[in-house]
Amino acid sequence: MIYLDYAAATPLSEKAKKAMLPYFDEKFFNPSAAYLPANEVRKEYEKAKGDIAHVIGAKAADLVMTSGATEANSLVFAAIPNDAEVLISTIEHPSILENAKQKQYRTIAVDKNGRIDLDDFRKKLTPNTQLVSVCFASSELGTIQPLSDIARIIQEERTRRAFAGEVTPLYFHSDASQGLGLAEIKVARLGVDLLTINAAKVYGPKGIGALYVGRSVRLKPQSYGGGQEMGLRSGTENVPATIAFATAILDAEKHLGGERKRLAELRNKFKRQLEKQIDGIEFLSKDKVQLPNFLPVTILGLDAERLIFALEDKGVYLSTGAACAASKGEKSPTLKAIGLNDEQIAGSLRITLGRPTTEEDVVAAVKAIAEVVSAERKRLADS
Amino acid sequence: MIYLDYAAATPLSEKAKKAMLPYFDEKFFNPSAAYLPANEVRKEYEKAKGDIAHVIGAKAADLVMTSGATEANSLVFAAIPNDAEVLISTIEHPSILENAKQKQYRTIAVDKNGRIDLDDFRKKLTPNTQLVSVCFASSELGTIQPLSDIARIIQEERTRRAFAGEVTPLYFHSDASQGLGLAEIKVARLGVDLLTINAAKVYGPKGIGALYVGRSVRLKPQSYGGGQEMGLRSGTENVPATIAFATAILDAEKHLGGERKRLAELRNKFKRQLEKQIDGIEFLSKDKVQLPNFLPVTILGLDAERLIFALEDKGVYLSTGAACAASKGEKSPTLKAIGLNDEQIAGSLRITLGRPTTEEDVVAAVKAIAEVVSAERKRLADS
């Protein structure tokens, strides 16, 4: 089996699994209980939160733990009145787009590599904009966004509002689900007020994520109860998953430099081989602004879904567009936004590499893709 | 160590842990992905949902998986307009009470055992009531509520509204976090439209729960995105936790009869021994309407917090009131609602037994409690 869909899901790392296991039985205590073993669990939970926060340049008190990225994103949008203006990029994940649809939203154009058009952003930012939400990196293209440039424009608008005596708040949010563990992500450097992170894409477990909440931000709880997470997200803490998330993210941080280099080299090799062996293949976005493990391509004249099923027979697993949208048969808004035509969209595959990916995998995957493409072209020519 | 706080948290069962583990690494696929191994994970996830649903007499399509009971309860209240009338009992868990506070709410009185006063309920139910939320069993007393009687009164009101041409909806919700795995809980028999269940109290993992949603109920999503859980709760499914939940709940269902009997006998023995060895001990609620593992008591003239710390030194862990409220030093609304005075509330302990509790544990715990009570009384007499 050659799995090439690490943007959709990563396996839990051995280290994270090992760290988590005792918290299911030996240390299963409710962190809110009064006795000593429960207090210890509380401390370990808080330490884990501190570790996670540290990786993004924040403190435990800045994080609200959630059940994943979608909940974190939804918590951000819940803070914004329904009649407030919201700006998102044209290439956001459904968990941003569908939340934006609950508000008055507009989309910011991107260039052919999927990067935000800053002029378009300036034009669309109005005195009524209360939230700007732009992903750290696109989940379909891996394109990294110029967040600190966006932050600068937002800061200008805030200054203008302050001088004009306008009190409308303006928050800058980024979903960094794609990118965590593959790039330097520090909230201060990016200039964001709110940042979504997610364990399930960084070799942590499913069902745990977090929202970084800057000091100036006022959120509205979506769940009420015991008052956990500073009252912003009640419910017994998911201790095992948080411990595993911390272990996974610290481990990713530790190996970031080397792994980024290794993945980029592997990806570039993959690219060169595909280019050599397959006619009519186009590469989406470009290396310079892309996460190192992303290799989105389009193969002209072919249907990506057919290719995927044929590759499955050869034990190669990859995806068309985002996994979330893929299962619903909709055309990817991201691929439309970067100007692809219907033929290009129909033939688009998202290849994403991961920690377990080896050079042998790349060689075997290229061979399998080339065979499948050639068989499919033959079938089409014959019919 | 003798742990007697199973109402606060249960350890994950070996069986559930074993069932869950492969889904962290071997079968880590995103269930929305298109390739075969992901489809298999999707099927196993749906089967697990079906198993969970079956235990409460429902189908997979009736369940919205959540990150726990608090999220499930909050999803119920989010469906109710803020200006709508809501009725809850006076002894609800904070995750109901705090949600109710966001609406126009009134509380239904309970008797000295903590059972809903049906006459008071009839009086408070108005043509504007849109939600009635009463727990299956109190998390502090273990008192089981007469849900089917409440359902009958609600049905009468619905019939009245229908004849009067009134269109205001009226939903009946119950949080069955306490009780699942310890009592027969079938949605049709109870007559509820909405039912909250939670893995963490039934030897499943933390971070997973579910909301049963009857066919007539219209909910409002709290998170938007990939459209998972019939669009009511977007976000990648927490597959491992759901698999573990199903395993845990099926196992509890299988042993329900025997375990219920065993726990009741153990609890009654505990009670008799405490009665014999400790003067001025009072038992809250009464066996007949109580979950079999609950033994809430009050020891007159003493401070429960001091007792708990002294018991901790002897390796006996239990709680005052609900763990969630306990850590905030508030007086329990439940104990006030059943008419306890300040002295009784100050001396109240919640003892809850669980699957690992043995007769030896009971004997040793009684001995420890008696020693601690007697030492504390001596200290008070001397001072």
Side-chain angles (χ1 to χ4, degrees):
Chain A
M1 171 181 123
I2 301 173
Y3 177 78
L4 295 170
D5 201 14
Y6 288 94
T10 55
L12 183 65
S13 78
E14 265 307 301
K15 222 182 246 185
K17 189 173 174 177
K18 217 176 144 188
M20 166 176 87
L21 284 179
Y23 294 86
F24 283 115
D25 35 33
E26 290 162 51
K27 301 183 179 185
F28 68 94
F29 308 100
N30 189 322
S32 295
Y35 31 83
L36 196 68
N39 294 344
E40 278 166 14
V41 168
R42 153 80 51 213
K43 269 186 220 149
E44 289 158 24
Y45 174 77
E46 292 297 337
K47 186 185 172 302
K49 274 185 72 174
D51 289 343
I52 296 165
H54 179 76
V55 171
I56 57 165
K59 301 230 174 294
D62 303 326
L63 286 196
V64 175
M65 301 307 297
T66 66
S67 62
T70 298
E71 186 190 334
N73 290 342
S74 298
L75 191 55
V76 170
F77 280 81
I80 307 300
N82 283 347
D83 55 357
E85 279 182 33
V86 160
L87 286 178
I88 66 172
S89 84
T90 42
I91 60 164
E92 294 299 317
H93 185 271
S95 70
I96 296 294
L97 177 60
E98 296 301 322
N99 268 299
K101 285 182 183 169
Q102 313 302 315
K103 317 286 167 189
Q104 307 302 312
Y105 84 107
R106 296 217 285 168
T107 55
I108 314 162
V110 295
D111 67 16
K112 68 178 180 9
N113 296 312
R115 280 203 123 201
I116 279 278
D117 176 341
L118 292 172
D119 289 332
D120 191 55
F121 173 51
R122 269 184 210 279
K123 249 179 267 166
K124 286 179 177 156
L125 186 65
T126 80
N128 299 320
T129 308
Q130 292 200 26
L131 174 68
V132 176
S133 182
V134 175
C135 55
F136 177 83
S138 158
S139 60
E140 291 176 70
L141 303 168
T143 306
I144 297 170
Q145 298 299 337
L147 295 189
S148 54
D149 294 336
I150 297 171
R152 218 165 295 128
I153 296 168
I154 286 175
Q155 195 48 49
E156 285 167 26
E157 169 62 11
R158 279 197 195 116
T159 308
R160 191 201 61 73
R161 288 186 192 181
F163 275 96
E166 294 169 14
V167 293
T168 311
L170 175 55
Y171 296 147
F172 183 23
H173 168 248
S174 180
D175 181 349
S177 297
Q178 300 291 347
L180 190 66
L182 291 165
E184 276 273 341
I185 297 181
K186 304 285 181 193
V187 289
R189 206 169 308 157
L190 299 175
V192 294
D193 307 302
L194 294 147
L195 187 87
T196 294
I197 55 175
N198 187 7
K201 316 266 189 202
V202 61
Y203 308 93
K206 289 184 178 60
I208 193 84
L211 181 66
Y212 160 81
V213 185
R215 304 288 157 94
S216 63
V217 176
R218 292 288 160 270
L219 290 184
K220 190 180 168 298
Q222 292 261 75
S223 62
Y224 295 91
Q228 289 91 344
E229 307 297 318
M230 300 92 73
L232 286 169
R233 205 273 189 183
S234 288
T236 302
E237 297 85 350
N238 192 343
V239 179
T242 304
I243 299 284
F245 189 4
T247 308
I249 193 177
L250 282 178
D251 198 38
E253 169 85 346
K254 195 173 151 194
H255 299 104
L256 181 61
E259 183 63 1
R260 191 155 51 169
K261 192 160 166 283
R262 188 187 76 87
L263 283 170
E265 282 169 9
L266 221 48
R267 188 258 319 266
N268 295 343
K269 184 178 183 131
F270 207 140
K271 196 171 172 176
R272 286 193 304 272
Q273 292 292 321
L274 285 176
E275 211 163 12
K276 206 182 291 175
Q277 300 194 30
I278 298 175
D279 287 336
I281 191 167
E282 294 176 355
F283 300 96
L284 309 180
S285 192
K286 58 178 180 190
D287 314 357
K288 260 181 60 185
V289 293
Q290 214 172 16
L291 290 176
N293 65 327
F294 266 73
L295 183 54
V297 304
T298 180
I299 303 176
L300 292 176
L302 294 182
D303 175 43
E305 297 230 3
R306 290 191 66 99
L307 295 179
I308 278 171
F309 290 124
L311 283 166
E312 184 182 299
D313 285 341
K314 294 181 182 281
V316 176
Y317 303 115
L318 42 79
S319 173
T320 65
C324 305
S327 69
K328 278 181 261 135
E330 291 160 15
K331 265 183 201 168
S332 156
T334 296
L335 301 181
K336 271 195 267 184
I338 60 169
L340 297 201
N341 61 32
D342 285 355
E343 184 191 352
Q344 287 170 312
I345 292 176
S348 77
L349 296 172
R350 181 183 70 174
I351 299 166
T352 49
L353 316 185
R355 200 178 291 166
T357 311
T358 63
E359 226 171 300
E360 290 71 47
D361 290 341
V362 168
V363 172
V366 169
K367 184 167 172 281
I369 296 170
E371 283 169 7
V372 159
V373 165
S374 130
E376 187 62 9
R377 284 193 170 137
K378 188 168 180 309
R379 190 187 65 80
L380 287 170
D382 290 351
S383 68
Chain B
M1 170 181 125
I2 300 172
Y3 177 77
L4 296 169
D5 202 15
Y6 289 95
T10 54
L12 183 65
S13 78
E14 266 305 302
K15 222 181 245 184
K17 190 173 174 177
K18 219 176 142 190
M20 167 175 85
L21 284 178
Y23 294 87
F24 285 113
D25 34 34
E26 291 161 52
K27 301 184 179 183
F28 69 94
F29 308 100
N30 189 323
S32 295
Y35 31 82
L36 195 68
N39 294 344
E40 277 165 16
V41 169
R42 154 79 51 213
K43 269 185 219 149
E44 289 158 24
Y45 175 77
E46 292 297 338
K47 185 185 173 302
K49 274 186 72 173
D51 289 343
I52 296 166
H54 179 76
V55 170
I56 57 165
K59 302 230 173 295
D62 304 325
L63 286 196
V64 175
M65 301 308 298
T66 67
S67 63
T70 298
E71 186 191 334
N73 291 341
S74 298
L75 191 54
V76 170
F77 280 81
I80 307 298
N82 283 345
D83 56 357
E85 278 183 33
V86 159
L87 285 178
I88 66 170
S89 83
T90 43
I91 60 164
E92 294 300 315
H93 185 272
S95 71
I96 295 294
L97 178 61
E98 296 302 321
N99 269 300
K101 284 180 183 169
Q102 312 302 316
K103 317 288 165 184
Q104 307 304 312
Y105 84 107
R106 294 216 287 168
T107 55
I108 314 163
V110 295
D111 67 16
K112 68 179 181 8
N113 295 312
R115 280 203 123 201
I116 278 278
D117 177 340
L118 292 172
D119 289 332
D120 192 56
F121 173 51
R122 269 183 209 279
K123 249 180 266 166
K124 284 174 178 159
L125 186 65
T126 79
N128 299 319
T129 308
Q130 291 199 26
L131 174 67
V132 176
S133 181
V134 175
C135 55
F136 178 82
S138 157
S139 61
E140 291 177 69
L141 303 169
T143 306
I144 297 169
Q145 298 298 337
L147 295 189
S148 53
D149 293 336
I150 297 171
R152 218 163 295 128
I153 296 168
I154 286 175
Q155 197 44 49
E156 284 167 25
E157 170 62 10
R158 278 196 196 119
T159 307
R160 191 202 61 71
R161 288 185 192 180
F163 274 95
E166 294 169 15
V167 294
T168 312
L170 174 56
Y171 296 148
F172 182 24
H173 168 248
S174 180
D175 181 349
S177 297
Q178 299 290 347
L180 191 65
L182 291 164
E184 276 274 340
I185 297 181
K186 304 287 180 192
V187 289
R189 208 169 308 159
L190 299 175
V192 295
D193 305 303
L194 294 147
L195 187 88
T196 293
I197 56 175
N198 186 9
K201 316 267 188 200
V202 63
Y203 307 93
K206 288 184 179 58
I208 193 84
L211 181 66
Y212 160 79
V213 185
R215 306 286 158 94
S216 62
V217 176
R218 292 287 159 272
L219 291 183
K220 190 181 168 298
Q222 291 262 77
S223 61
Y224 295 91
Q228 291 89 345
E229 307 296 318
M230 300 90 73
L232 286 169
R233 206 273 187 180
S234 287
T236 302
E237 296 86 350
N238 192 340
V239 180
T242 304
I243 298 284
F245 190 2
T247 308
I249 194 177
L250 282 178
D251 198 38
E253 169 86 346
K254 193 173 151 194
H255 299 104
L256 181 62
E259 183 61 1
R260 188 155 54 169
K261 191 159 168 282
R262 187 187 78 86
L263 285 169
E265 282 169 8
L266 220 49
R267 188 259 317 267
N268 295 343
K269 184 178 185 133
F270 207 140
K271 196 171 173 178
R272 285 193 303 271
Q273 292 290 320
L274 285 176
E275 209 163 14
K276 207 183 287 177
Q277 300 193 30
I278 298 174
D279 288 335
I281 190 167
E282 294 176 353
F283 299 95
L284 309 179
S285 191
K286 58 178 180 190
D287 314 357
K288 261 181 58 185
V289 292
Q290 215 172 15
L291 290 176
N293 66 326
F294 266 73
L295 183 54
V297 304
T298 180
I299 303 176
L300 293 176
L302 294 182
D303 175 42
E305 298 231 1
R306 289 191 66 99
L307 296 180
I308 278 170
F309 290 124
L311 283 166
E312 183 181 299
D313 285 340
K314 294 180 182 280
V316 176
Y317 303 116
L318 43 80
S319 172
T320 68
C324 306
S327 68
K328 278 181 264 137
E330 291 161 12
K331 265 181 200 167
S332 156
T334 296
L335 300 181
K336 272 195 266 185
I338 60 167
L340 296 200
N341 61 33
D342 284 356
E343 185 191 352
Q344 288 171 310
I345 292 176
S348 77
L349 298 172
R350 181 184 69 174
I351 301 166
T352 47
L353 317 185
R355 200 178 291 167
T357 312
T358 63
E359 223 169 304
E360 292 70 48
D361 290 340
V362 169
V363 172
V366 170
K367 184 166 172 283
I369 297 170
E371 282 169 7
V372 159
V373 166
S374 132
E376 187 61 9
R377 284 196 169 137
K378 189 168 180 312
R379 191 187 64 80
L380 287 171
D382 291 351
S383 71

